[in-house]
Amino acid sequence: MSRRISPVIPGFGLTLGYTLVYLSLIVLIPLAAMFVHAAQLTWDQFWVIISAPRVWAALKLSFSTALYAALINGVIGTLLAWVLVRYTFPGRKIIDAMIDLPFALPTAVAGIALTALYAPNGLVGQFAADMGFKIAYTPLGITLALTFVTLPFVVRTVQPVLADIPREIEEAAACLGAKPLQVFRYILVPALLPAWLTGFALAFARGVGEYGSVIFIAGNMPMKTEILPLLIMVKLDQYDYTGATSIGVLMLVVSFVLLLLINLLQRRIEHP
């Protein structure tokens, strides 16, 4: 006589149905509506919109600066997580709490603060101007703003994994003659890499779609410092809903492909 195994979560059918409905209303239906609206165009019309030099310049700027910011945070965020986990020092809890500040701070406020700081007449920007280069109103300023808003993603994904790695493993490797670089390469990297890729993907995805913290420090010059989300807003302000939808579809497809490749790489690393 077989016994029926009860589900782990009571009311699995109800909770699954609620999850699917919620996901559909919040994510799937809006995205599908965007594709349906863009499908009203012929392929030639769609290609004319997305192949415009201004669109490609904004696309290149948005994805390149998001990539640079994610890579910078991949290094800095890992170092911050290491310091917070491996060392005890005065003010550690305050620094740990400040990591989440970009989550709580409105992005527009962050953009205004960064612009005031790095503008040519700002506290830091004036020194850069004296040395012959600008920070604000350049791709460098955009990368800086994206680095600020995406830092917590890497730290908060790497930090718990690093905390779960016993120090005894590193000490045992050192006792067996492993050098610090070998300990890092053969012990820490394999354990941290999946979490690092997750944080990198989250930071990259957030950077691609970031708007509030960038529009102030970017300068918004077409073909130079105009990001793709701003170009979509320009199209909407001009009541060009078809153009805005087409650019949104392009942005969504490129983001999906890049994130899919990152997830496949992460799965390959976890299950070689």
Side-chain angles (χ1 to χ4, degrees), residues 57-127:
L59 178 72
K60 180 180 178 181
L61 179 66
S62 294
F63 281 89
S64 62
T65 52
L67 177 63
Y68 294 148
L71 290 174
I72 292 172
N73 280 331
V75 177
I76 297 178
T78 303
L79 292 176
L80 282 173
W82 177 271
V83 170
L84 293 174
V85 171
R86 287 291 191 258
Y87 301 101
T88 301
F89 52 90
R92 174 177 171 273
K93 292 185 177 180
I94 296 177
I95 296 178
D96 192 22
M98 290 177 61
I99 297 296
D100 295 325
L101 189 60
F103 284 154
L105 188 68
T107 55
V109 175
I112 294 173
L114 291 172
T115 304
L117 185 63
Y118 293 104
N121 58 347
L123 182 62
V124 177
Q126 60 182 345
F127 295 105

Coordinates of all heavy atoms in Angstrom, one line a residue, residues 57-127:
A57 N 24.8 54.5 -30.7 CA 25.8 55.2 -29.8 C 25.3 55.1 -28.3 O 26.1 54.9 -27.4 CB 25.9 56.7 -30.2
A58 N 24.0 55.3 -28.1 CA 23.5 55.2 -26.7 C 23.6 53.7 -26.2 O 23.9 53.5 -25.1 CB 22.0 55.6 -26.7
L59 N 23.3 52.8 -27.1 CA 23.4 51.4 -26.8 C 24.9 51.0 -26.4 O 25.1 50.4 -25.3 CB 23.0 50.5 -27.9 CG 23.1 49.0 -27.7 CD1 22.0 48.5 -26.8 CD2 22.9 48.2 -29.1
K60 N 25.8 51.4 -27.2 CA 27.2 51.2 -26.8 C 27.6 51.8 -25.5 O 28.3 51.2 -24.7 CB 28.1 51.7 -28.0 CG 29.6 51.4 -27.8 CD 30.4 52.0 -28.9 CE 31.9 51.7 -28.7 NZ 32.7 52.3 -29.8
L61 N 27.2 53.0 -25.3 CA 27.6 53.7 -24.1 C 26.9 53.1 -22.9 O 27.6 52.8 -21.9 CB 27.1 55.2 -24.2 CG 27.4 56.0 -22.9 CD1 28.9 56.2 -22.7 CD2 26.7 57.4 -23.0
S62 N 25.7 52.7 -22.9 CA 25.0 52.1 -21.8 C 25.6 50.8 -21.4 O 25.9 50.5 -20.2 CB 23.5 51.9 -22.1 OG 22.8 53.2 -22.2
F63 N 25.8 49.9 -22.4 CA 26.4 48.6 -22.1 C 27.8 48.6 -21.7 O 28.3 47.8 -20.8 CB 26.1 47.6 -23.2 CG 24.7 47.1 -23.3 CD1 23.7 47.8 -23.9 CD2 24.3 46.0 -22.6 CE1 22.4 47.4 -24.0 CE2 23.0 45.5 -22.7 CZ 22.1 46.2 -23.3
S64 N 28.6 49.5 -22.3 CA 30.0 49.5 -22.0 C 30.3 50.1 -20.6 O 31.1 49.5 -19.9 CB 30.8 50.4 -23.1 OG 30.3 51.7 -23.1
T65 N 29.6 51.2 -20.3 CA 29.8 51.7 -18.9 C 29.2 50.8 -17.8 O 29.8 50.7 -16.8 CB 29.1 53.1 -18.8 OG1 27.7 53.0 -19.3 CG2 29.8 54.1 -19.7
A66 N 28.1 50.1 -18.1 CA 27.6 49.1 -17.2 C 28.6 48.0 -17.0 O 28.8 47.5 -15.9 CB 26.3 48.6 -17.6
L67 N 29.2 47.6 -18.1 CA 30.2 46.5 -18.0 C 31.5 46.9 -17.2 O 31.9 46.2 -16.3 CB 30.7 46.1 -19.4 CG 31.8 45.0 -19.5 CD1 31.3 43.7 -18.8 CD2 32.2 44.8 -20.9
Y68 N 32.0 48.1 -17.5 CA 33.1 48.7 -16.7 C 32.8 48.8 -15.2 O 33.6 48.4 -14.4 CB 33.5 50.0 -17.3 CG 34.1 49.9 -18.7 CD1 33.9 51.0 -19.6 CD2 34.8 48.8 -19.1 CE1 34.4 50.9 -20.9 CE2 35.2 48.8 -20.4 CZ 35.0 49.8 -21.3 OH 35.5 49.7 -22.6
A69 N 31.6 49.3 -14.9 CA 31.2 49.5 -13.5 C 31.1 48.1 -12.8 O 31.5 48.0 -11.7 CB 29.9 50.2 -13.4
A70 N 30.5 47.1 -13.5 CA 30.4 45.8 -12.9 C 31.8 45.2 -12.7 O 32.0 44.5 -11.7 CB 29.6 44.9 -13.8
L71 N 32.7 45.4 -13.6 CA 34.1 44.8 -13.4 C 34.8 45.5 -12.3 O 35.5 44.9 -11.5 CB 34.9 45.0 -14.7 CG 34.4 44.1 -15.9 CD1 35.2 44.5 -17.2 CD2 34.6 42.6 -15.6
I72 N 34.7 46.8 -12.2 CA 35.3 47.6 -11.1 C 34.7 47.1 -9.8 O 35.5 46.8 -8.8 CB 35.1 49.1 -11.3 CG1 35.8 49.6 -12.5 CG2 35.5 49.8 -10.0 CD1 35.5 51.0 -12.8
N73 N 33.4 47.0 -9.7 CA 32.8 46.5 -8.4 C 33.2 45.0 -8.2 O 33.1 44.6 -7.0 CB 31.3 46.7 -8.5 CG 30.9 48.1 -8.2 OD1 31.6 48.8 -7.4 ND2 29.8 48.6 -8.7
G74 N 33.4 44.3 -9.2 CA 33.8 42.9 -9.0 C 35.1 42.8 -8.2 O 35.3 41.9 -7.5
V75 N 36.0 43.8 -8.5 CA 37.3 43.8 -7.7 C 37.1 44.5 -6.4 O 37.4 43.9 -5.3 CB 38.4 44.5 -8.5 CG1 39.7 44.6 -7.7 CG2 38.6 43.8 -9.8
I76 N 36.5 45.7 -6.4 CA 36.4 46.5 -5.1 C 35.4 45.8 -4.2 O 35.6 45.7 -3.0 CB 35.9 47.9 -5.5 CG1 37.0 48.6 -6.3 CG2 35.7 48.7 -4.2 CD1 36.6 50.0 -6.7
G77 N 34.3 45.3 -4.7 CA 33.3 44.6 -3.9 C 33.9 43.4 -3.2 O 33.5 43.1 -2.1
T78 N 34.7 42.6 -4.0 CA 35.3 41.4 -3.4 C 36.3 41.8 -2.2 O 36.3 41.2 -1.2 CB 36.0 40.6 -4.4 OG1 35.1 40.3 -5.5 CG2 36.6 39.3 -3.9
L79 N 37.0 42.8 -2.5 CA 37.9 43.3 -1.4 C 37.2 43.8 -0.2 O 37.6 43.5 1.0 CB 38.8 44.4 -2.0 CG 39.9 44.0 -3.0 CD1 40.6 45.2 -3.5 CD2 40.8 43.0 -2.5
L80 N 36.1 44.5 -0.4 CA 35.3 45.0 0.7 C 34.7 43.8 1.5 O 34.7 43.8 2.7 CB 34.2 45.9 0.2 CG 34.6 47.3 -0.1 CD1 33.4 48.1 -0.8 CD2 35.1 48.1 1.1
A81 N 34.2 42.8 0.8 CA 33.6 41.7 1.4 C 34.7 40.9 2.2 O 34.4 40.5 3.3 CB 33.0 40.7 0.4
W82 N 35.9 40.8 1.7 CA 37.0 40.2 2.4 C 37.3 40.9 3.7 O 37.5 40.2 4.7 CB 38.2 40.1 1.4 CG 39.4 39.5 2.1 CD1 40.4 40.2 2.8 CD2 39.8 38.1 2.1 NE1 41.3 39.3 3.2 CE2 41.0 38.0 2.8 CE3 39.2 37.0 1.6 CZ2 41.6 36.8 3.0 CZ3 39.9 35.8 1.8 CH2 41.1 35.7 2.5
V83 N 37.4 42.2 3.6 CA 37.8 43.0 4.8 C 36.7 42.8 5.9 O 37.0 42.6 7.1 CB 38.0 44.4 4.4 CG1 38.1 45.3 5.7 CG2 39.2 44.6 3.6
L84 N 35.4 42.9 5.4 CA 34.3 42.8 6.4 C 34.2 41.5 7.0 O 33.8 41.3 8.2 CB 33.0 43.2 5.7 CG 32.9 44.7 5.3 CD1 31.6 44.9 4.5 CD2 32.9 45.6 6.5
V85 N 34.6 40.4 6.3 CA 34.4 39.0 6.8 C 35.7 38.6 7.6 O 35.5 38.0 8.7 CB 34.1 38.1 5.7 CG1 34.2 36.6 6.2 CG2 32.8 38.3 5.1
R86 N 36.8 38.9 7.1 CA 38.0 38.4 7.7 C 38.7 39.2 8.8 O 39.5 38.7 9.5 CB 39.1 38.2 6.6 CG 38.8 37.0 5.6 CD 38.9 35.7 6.4 NE 38.9 34.5 5.5 CZ 37.8 33.8 5.4 NH1 36.7 34.0 6.1 NH2 37.9 32.7 4.6
Y87 N 38.3 40.5 8.9 CA 38.9 41.3 9.9 C 37.9 42.0 10.8 O 36.8 42.2 10.4 CB 39.8 42.4 9.2 CG 40.8 41.9 8.3 CD1 40.6 41.8 6.9 CD2 42.0 41.4 8.8 CE1 41.6 41.3 6.1 CE2 43.0 40.9 8.0 CZ 42.8 40.9 6.6 OH 43.8 40.4 5.8
T88 N 38.4 42.2 12.1 CA 37.6 43.0 13.0 C 38.3 44.2 13.4 O 39.5 44.2 13.8 CB 37.4 42.1 14.3 OG1 36.7 40.9 14.0 CG2 36.5 42.9 15.3
F89 N 37.6 45.4 13.3 CA 38.2 46.7 13.5 C 37.1 47.6 13.9 O 35.9 47.4 13.7 CB 38.9 47.2 12.2 CG 38.1 47.2 11.0 CD1 37.3 48.3 10.7 CD2 38.0 46.0 10.2 CE1 36.5 48.3 9.6 CE2 37.2 46.0 9.1 CZ 36.5 47.1 8.7
P90 N 37.5 48.7 14.6 CA 36.5 49.7 15.0 C 35.8 50.3 13.8 O 36.4 50.7 12.8 CB 37.4 50.8 15.7 CG 38.6 50.1 16.1 CD 38.9 49.1 15.1
G91 N 34.5 50.5 13.9 CA 33.7 51.0 12.8 C 33.3 50.0 11.7 O 32.7 50.4 10.7
R92 N 33.6 48.7 12.0 CA 33.3 47.7 11.0 C 31.8 47.6 10.7 O 31.3 47.5 9.5 CB 33.8 46.3 11.5 CG 33.4 45.2 10.6 CD 34.0 43.9 11.1 NE 33.5 42.7 10.4 CZ 32.4 42.1 10.8 NH1 31.7 42.5 11.8 NH2 32.0 41.0 10.1
K93 N 30.9 47.7 11.7 CA 29.5 47.6 11.5 C 29.0 48.8 10.8 O 28.0 48.7 10.0 CB 28.8 47.4 12.9 CG 29.1 46.1 13.5 CD 28.2 45.9 14.8 CE 28.5 44.6 15.4 NZ 27.7 44.4 16.7
I94 N 29.6 50.0 11.0 CA 29.1 51.2 10.3 C 29.4 51.0 8.8 O 28.6 51.4 8.0 CB 29.8 52.4 10.9 CG1 29.4 52.6 12.4 CG2 29.5 53.7 10.1 CD1 30.1 53.7 13.1
I95 N 30.6 50.6 8.5 CA 31.0 50.4 7.1 C 30.1 49.3 6.4 O 29.7 49.5 5.3 CB 32.5 50.0 7.0 CG1 33.4 51.1 7.5 CG2 32.8 49.6 5.5 CD1 34.8 50.8 7.5
D96 N 29.8 48.3 7.2 CA 29.0 47.2 6.7 C 27.6 47.8 6.4 O 26.9 47.4 5.3 CB 28.9 46.1 7.7 CG 28.2 44.9 7.1 OD1 28.2 44.7 5.9 OD2 27.7 44.0 7.9
A97 N 27.1 48.7 7.2 CA 25.7 49.3 7.0 C 25.8 50.2 5.8 O 24.8 50.4 5.0 CB 25.2 50.0 8.2
M98 N 26.9 50.9 5.6 CA 27.0 51.9 4.6 C 27.0 51.3 3.2 O 26.8 51.9 2.2 CB 28.3 52.8 4.8 CG 28.2 53.7 5.9 SD 29.7 54.6 6.2 CE 29.9 55.5 4.6
I99 N 27.4 50.0 3.1 CA 27.4 49.3 1.8 C 26.0 49.3 1.2 O 25.9 49.4 0.0 CB 27.9 47.8 2.0 CG1 29.3 47.8 2.5 CG2 27.8 47.0 0.7 CD1 30.3 48.3 1.6
D100 N 25.0 49.2 2.0 CA 23.6 49.2 1.5 C 23.0 50.6 1.3 O 21.9 50.7 0.9 CB 22.7 48.5 2.5 CG 23.1 47.0 2.6 OD1 23.5 46.4 1.6 OD2 22.9 46.5 3.8
L101 N 23.8 51.6 1.5 CA 23.3 53.0 1.3 C 22.8 53.3 -0.1 O 21.8 53.9 -0.3 CB 24.4 54.0 1.6 CG 24.0 55.5 1.7 CD1 22.9 55.7 2.8 CD2 25.2 56.4 2.0
P102 N 23.5 52.8 -1.2 CA 22.9 53.0 -2.5 C 21.5 52.4 -2.7 O 20.8 52.8 -3.6 CB 24.0 52.3 -3.5 CG 25.2 52.4 -2.7 CD 24.8 52.2 -1.3
F103 N 21.2 51.4 -2.0 CA 19.8 50.8 -2.0 C 18.8 51.7 -1.4 O 17.7 51.8 -2.0 CB 19.8 49.5 -1.3 CG 20.4 48.3 -2.0 CD1 20.9 47.2 -1.3 CD2 20.5 48.3 -3.4 CE1 21.5 46.2 -2.0 CE2 21.1 47.3 -4.1 CZ 21.6 46.2 -3.4
A104 N 19.2 52.4 -0.4 CA 18.2 53.2 0.3 C 18.1 54.7 -0.2 O 17.1 55.3 -0.1 CB 18.5 53.3 1.8
L105 N 19.3 55.1 -0.8 CA 19.3 56.5 -1.2 C 18.6 56.6 -2.6 O 18.9 55.8 -3.5 CB 20.8 56.9 -1.4 CG 21.1 58.4 -1.7 CD1 20.7 59.3 -0.5 CD2 22.6 58.6 -2.0
P106 N 17.7 57.6 -2.8 CA 17.2 57.8 -4.1 C 18.2 58.0 -5.1 O 19.2 58.8 -4.9 CB 16.3 59.0 -3.9 CG 16.0 59.0 -2.5 CD 17.2 58.5 -1.8
T107 N 18.1 57.4 -6.3 CA 19.2 57.5 -7.3 C 19.3 58.9 -7.8 O 20.5 59.3 -8.1 CB 18.9 56.6 -8.5 OG1 17.6 56.8 -9.0 CG2 18.9 55.1 -8.0
A108 N 18.3 59.7 -7.9 CA 18.4 61.1 -8.3 C 19.2 61.9 -7.3 O 20.0 62.7 -7.7 CB 17.0 61.7 -8.4
V109 N 19.1 61.6 -6.0 CA 19.9 62.3 -5.0 C 21.3 61.9 -5.2 O 22.2 62.8 -5.1 CB 19.4 62.0 -3.6 CG1 20.3 62.6 -2.5 CG2 17.9 62.4 -3.4
A110 N 21.6 60.7 -5.4 CA 23.0 60.2 -5.7 C 23.5 60.9 -6.9 O 24.7 61.3 -6.9 CB 23.0 58.7 -5.8
G111 N 22.8 61.0 -8.0 CA 23.2 61.7 -9.2 C 23.6 63.2 -8.9 O 24.6 63.7 -9.4
I112 N 22.7 63.9 -8.2 CA 23.0 65.3 -7.9 C 24.2 65.4 -7.0 O 25.1 66.3 -7.3 CB 21.8 65.9 -7.1 CG1 20.6 65.9 -8.1 CG2 22.1 67.3 -6.6 CD1 19.3 66.4 -7.4
A113 N 24.4 64.5 -6.0 CA 25.6 64.6 -5.2 C 26.8 64.3 -5.9 O 27.9 65.0 -5.8 CB 25.4 63.6 -4.0
L114 N 26.8 63.3 -6.8 CA 28.0 63.0 -7.6 C 28.3 64.1 -8.6 O 29.5 64.4 -8.8 CB 27.8 61.7 -8.3 CG 27.7 60.4 -7.5 CD1 27.3 59.2 -8.3 CD2 29.1 60.1 -6.8
T115 N 27.3 64.7 -9.2 CA 27.6 65.8 -10.1 C 28.2 67.0 -9.4 O 29.1 67.6 -9.9 CB 26.2 66.2 -10.8 OG1 25.7 65.1 -11.4 CG2 26.5 67.3 -11.8
A116 N 27.6 67.3 -8.2 CA 28.2 68.5 -7.4 C 29.6 68.2 -7.0 O 30.4 69.1 -6.9 CB 27.3 68.7 -6.2
L117 N 30.0 66.9 -6.8 CA 31.3 66.6 -6.4 C 32.3 66.5 -7.5 O 33.5 67.0 -7.4 CB 31.3 65.3 -5.6 CG 32.6 64.8 -5.0 CD1 33.0 65.8 -3.9 CD2 32.4 63.4 -4.4
Y118 N 31.9 66.0 -8.7 CA 32.8 65.8 -9.8 C 32.7 66.7 -10.9 O 33.3 66.5 -12.0 CB 32.7 64.3 -10.3 CG 33.1 63.3 -9.2 CD1 32.1 62.6 -8.5 CD2 34.4 63.1 -9.0 CE1 32.5 61.6 -7.6 CE2 34.8 62.1 -8.0 CZ 33.9 61.4 -7.3 OH 34.2 60.5 -6.4
A119 N 31.8 67.7 -10.8 CA 31.7 68.7 -11.9 C 33.0 69.5 -11.9 O 33.8 69.5 -11.0 CB 30.5 69.6 -11.6
P120 N 33.2 70.2 -13.0 CA 34.5 71.0 -13.2 C 34.7 72.0 -12.0 O 35.9 72.3 -11.7 CB 34.4 71.7 -14.5 CG 33.5 70.8 -15.3 CD 32.5 70.2 -14.3
N121 N 33.7 72.5 -11.4 CA 33.8 73.4 -10.3 C 33.6 72.7 -9.0 O 33.4 73.4 -7.9 CB 32.9 74.6 -10.4 CG 31.4 74.2 -10.5 OD1 31.1 73.0 -10.7 ND2 30.5 75.1 -10.4
G122 N 33.5 71.4 -9.0 CA 33.2 70.6 -7.7 C 34.5 70.4 -6.9 O 35.6 70.7 -7.3
L123 N 34.3 69.8 -5.7 CA 35.4 69.6 -4.8 C 36.5 68.7 -5.4 O 37.7 69.0 -5.3 CB 34.9 69.0 -3.5 CG 35.9 68.8 -2.4 CD1 36.5 70.1 -2.0 CD2 35.3 68.0 -1.2
V124 N 36.1 67.7 -6.1 CA 37.1 66.8 -6.8 C 37.3 67.1 -8.2 O 38.4 67.1 -8.7 CB 36.6 65.3 -6.6 CG1 37.6 64.4 -7.3 CG2 36.5 64.9 -5.1
G125 N 36.2 67.5 -8.9 CA 36.3 67.8 -10.3 C 37.2 69.0 -10.6 O 37.8 69.0 -11.7
Q126 N 37.4 69.9 -9.7 CA 38.3 71.0 -10.1 C 39.7 70.6 -10.1 O 40.5 71.1 -10.9 CB 38.1 72.1 -9.0 CG 38.4 71.7 -7.6 CD 38.2 72.9 -6.6 OE1 38.1 74.0 -7.0 NE2 38.1 72.5 -5.3
F127 N 40.1 69.6 -9.3 CA 41.5 69.1 -9.4 C 41.7 68.3 -10.7 O 42.7 68.4 -11.3 CB 41.7 68.2 -8.2 CG 41.7 68.9 -6.9 CD1 40.7 68.8 -6.0 CD2 42.8 69.7 -6.5 CE1 40.7 69.4 -4.8 CE2 42.8 70.4 -5.3 CZ 41.7 70.3 -4.5

